Amino acid sequence: MSVIVTGINGQDGYYMCKYLLEHTSFMIYGTLRYRATKLTNAKEYFPDNPRFTMLHLDITDNVNVLNIIKKVKPQYFINFAAQSFVGKSWDIPHVTWTTNTMGVINILDSLKTECSHCRFYNAGTSEEFGDVLYSPQNEDHPLRPRSPYAASKCAARHIIRVYRESYGMYAIQGWLFNHESIRRGKDFVTRKITSTIASIKKNIESGERFEPLELGNMNAKRDWGDAEDFIDGVWKMLNQDTPPSEYILSSGTMYSVRDFLEECLRVADIQWSRCDNDVYVHTTTGEVISRVNSDYYRLADVNCLMGNNKKARLELDWTPKTDFSTLVRKMFEHDYL
Ligand code: G4F
């Protein structure tokens, strides 16, 4: 019995494999795209675990997808491989679409042909709700994407439903609101804040000068949860009685980028005052800790997102465990070590 998890080098792929190794007895095949990365190096993820195997897989190559599915014959296929950086998706719309939409078609079609009993999960996102009509968003909220990234995920959602309804496949895409961790990439705003503030804190302590943190839209509001809490919800989504439903996973709370920064400064115990235009100044030295740089603005941003997780709580018995302050502290303390 086996599970394929794509995108092992990303936050969610890694935590999914870790969860499955701890909570199931399946053989786990973690995959990442070939980039002249030696698989022996990649083994560092779960060293010496006989139930874990690394494979190279590029989901944009349908031959590659078909051959891996033929070889592994998985019971579950969990797809976290994606171009997942919203801001970058305007620069690379083709790569975004090819990976996030065509890649999903490649998987669905190979599963249909070779492994139709396999349960398939694709990573969906709150970004699909985009220009929201009401808050909190529930599963009935219309899809109103604002970025090439979000459009690609909406298209994936539609084609998954088509395969589910046409071929009777267990194929679903949950809506995961923002979820963070110490493994979050440093281009995403939360980890950018915690890692930069941690390094500024070290400079303050050693009396060295530092470069300020530069951020874009400070007013953007997000529903930030803990990635490890969400992985449990994904596995529950994959183990429903058929026919399967699709669920929102979210913390159900909403904070701005400004709130995140200020919470991080509090946790770091840095004394600051906020001046006009969101310039944050260190009280003792007068140095600028953080300022706005319009280069980080998006062509079209999603202003606020907050998920209604009632359906997942009731039907999947899923609850997020980590609150906002605990999440910020966990990430900052890791980066400060
Ligand atoms: O951290 P972000 O880049 O995450 P975003 O765009 O919400 O997307 C993440 O969460 C989605 C929902 O789960 C996923 F689908 C997606 O794949 C990804 O994981 O930006 C959050 C907000 C945005 O409004 C952005 O404009 O923060 C704002 N922001 C302000 N300054 C910034 C910055 N974002 C980034 N990345 N960098 C900044 O300096």
Side-chain angles (χ1 to χ4, degrees):
M1 302 279 271
S2 56
V3 184
I4 293 179
V5 181
T6 64
I8 172 82
N9 46 334
Q11 166 187 274
D12 293 358
Y14 173 83
Y15 282 128
M16 192 80 235
C17 289
K18 181 170 178 279
Y19 178 95
L20 293 172
L21 289 168
E22 288 169 1
H23 292 87
T24 74
S25 55
F26 289 106
M27 298 297 293
I28 311 301
Y29 291 83
T31 79
L32 61 111
R33 211 167 6 150
Y34 179 71
R35 277 198 183 150
T37 316
K38 279 193 190 151
L39 285 175
T40 45
N41 293 342
K43 266 258 177 202
E44 76 199 29
Y45 289 110
F46 302 102
D48 306 325
N49 191 319
R51 288 199 293 116
F52 181 74
T53 306
M54 289 293 312
L55 296 171
H56 276 141
L57 172 61
D58 188 333
I59 62 166
T60 65
D61 187 316
N62 61 346
V63 175
N64 195 191
V65 173
L66 185 65
N67 285 336
I68 294 281
I69 286 173
K70 271 185 181 172
K71 179 176 159 179
V72 176
K73 294 270 183 206
Q75 268 67 43
Y76 297 88
F77 193 119
I78 304 174
N79 183 38
F80 287 123
Q83 194 304 93
S84 63
F85 191 42
V86 178
K88 195 75 191 156
S89 71
W90 279 273
D91 298 332
I92 49 170
H94 281 259
V95 170
T96 304
W97 193 270
T98 308
T99 311
N100 298 358
T101 311
M102 302 306 293
V104 169
I105 296 178
N106 289 341
I107 299 167
L108 285 169
D109 215 72
S110 295
L111 288 176
K112 181 197 86 190
T113 316
E114 292 297 328
C115 212
S116 59
H117 64 277
C118 177
R119 295 186 168 200
F120 174 63
Y121 177 86
N122 191 52
T125 166
S126 49
E127 289 289 309
E128 294 170 55
F129 300 131
D131 189 13
V132 299
L133 297 177
Y134 56 83
S135 273
Q137 295 80 51
N138 59 15
E139 286 82 357
D140 297 325
H141 190 287
L143 305 182
R144 293 163 60 88
R146 299 266 287 162
S147 62
Y149 166 81
S152 72
K153 288 288 184 179
C154 290
R157 175 172 305 283
H158 289 307
I159 196 69
I160 287 169
R161 192 181 62 223
V162 168
Y163 269 68
R164 187 168 65 234
E165 292 176 355
S166 306
Y167 303 111
M169 292 170 71
Y170 192 119
I172 52 170
Q173 175 164 306
W175 286 271
L176 269 56
F177 281 61
N178 295 52
H179 46 289
E180 318 294 312
S181 74
I182 59 169
R183 298 189 78 88
R184 189 58 145 153
K186 290 182 182 170
D187 278 341
F188 295 97
V189 75
T190 53
R191 189 79 197 290
K192 180 175 172 180
I193 292 172
T194 60
S195 62
T196 313
I197 295 300
S199 107
I200 287 176
K201 167 89 174 160
K202 287 178 194 165
N203 282 8
I204 290 173
E205 284 171 343
S206 60
E208 289 171 58
R209 299 191 67 75
F210 53 81
E211 289 297 313
L213 169 64
E214 293 194 326
L215 294 168
N217 181 5
M218 300 287 285
N219 295 318
K221 294 192 175 105
R222 289 290 182 276
D223 178 331
W224 280 298
D226 185 311
E228 288 190 82
D229 288 351
F230 283 36
I231 290 304
D232 175 55
V234 169
W235 189 237
K236 285 183 163 153
M237 264 189 248
L238 274 166
N239 288 287
Q240 306 166 58
D241 294 335
T242 52
S245 229
E246 294 175 314
Y247 294 86
I248 281 176
L249 300 183
S250 69
S251 78
T253 60
M254 185 167 71
Y255 295 89
S256 66
V257 171
R258 187 179 298 105
D259 293 333
F260 196 102
L261 171 63
E262 294 187 2
E263 182 64 23
C264 187
L265 289 169
R266 252 189 300 277
V267 169
D269 198 22
I270 294 175
Q271 306 305 313
W272 49 272
S273 52
R274 191 173 83 217
C275 310
D276 290 347
N277 302 321
D278 282 305
V279 175
Y280 287 75
V281 174
H282 185 222
T283 321
T284 319
T285 65
E287 281 183 276
V288 175
I289 298 168
S290 178
R291 65 183 172 214
V292 171
N293 180 340
S294 57
D295 288 350
Y296 293 107
Y297 284 135
R298 293 180 180 170
L299 291 171
D301 208 353
V302 171
N303 296 324
C304 59
L305 288 169
M306 181 162 67
N308 179 342
N309 57 28
K310 193 173 165 192
K311 188 178 167 201
R313 282 177 187 269
L314 287 177
E315 296 179 13
L316 296 178
D317 193 24
W318 176 80
T319 39
K321 297 186 184 71
T322 314
D323 67 18
F324 177 71
S325 304
T326 310
L327 178 65
V328 178
R329 177 172 294 281
K330 207 160 102 172
M331 292 174 71
F332 170 78
E333 286 179 349
H334 170 84
D335 286 331
Y336 180 61
L337 271 182

